[in-house]
Amino acid sequence: MSASSILSFSTTFALVTLSLGLLLTVGRIVRGPTLPDRVLGLDMLVAIAIGFIAVIAIRSGFNLYIDIAIALSLVGFLATVAFARFILARGLSPESGRASGKALATARRPRKRGRR
């Protein structure tokens, strides 16, 4: 076996595996019982997309795709942090999927504005 045939087989196997992971992740997003499950699914979709981009970069030899994957990872990280803050602001507990009483009480209370 030559190096090019091993590389071709490896990238094909990686694309098939990533496609299977993509299907399972979409299933988790659609079926996810709670909002945190769906957020983790969306984060996993970003990771799988980065994997696709990396494999295509290896297969094509076009190194600019790596920069695109890095930019996508930064945007995906910021989106995950924003979703996590949104979930914490809503006061959802992972066990029940409902807002806690303390979170509802603080959400209803008006905020004090300071003078500048």
Side-chain angles (χ1 to χ4, degrees):
M1 289 183 85
S2 67
S4 63
S5 65
I6 291 174
L7 185 63
S8 176
F9 173 76
S10 298
T11 55
T12 304
F13 179 75
L15 287 173
V16 169
T17 306
L18 287 168
S19 298
L20 179 64
L22 181 77
L23 290 175
L24 291 173
T25 303
V26 168
R28 171 49 62 192
I29 291 172
V30 170
R31 223 185 78 209
T34 63
L35 183 61
D37 290 331
R38 289 186 172 98
V39 170
L40 286 175
L42 289 173
D43 188 40
M44 192 65 191
L45 277 181
V46 171
I48 290 171
I50 293 167
F52 272 120
I53 293 170
V55 171
I56 296 299
I58 291 169
R59 194 166 218 183
S60 68
F62 194 56
N63 293 332
L64 185 63
Y65 288 138
I66 301 300
D67 295 334
I68 294 169
I70 291 171
L72 180 62
S73 66
L74 291 173
V75 170
F77 172 74
L78 291 175
T80 302
V81 169
F83 274 130
R85 288 183 58 93
F86 172 72
I87 290 170
L88 286 175
R90 286 185 58 187
L92 292 177
S93 66
E95 294 85 22
S96 66
R98 296 183 181 185
S100 64
K102 182 178 178 184
L104 287 175
T106 57
R108 291 181 188 151
R109 188 174 54 208
R111 294 185 178 184
K112 295 178 183 177
R113 295 188 180 183
R115 293 185 183 192
R116 291 186 178 185

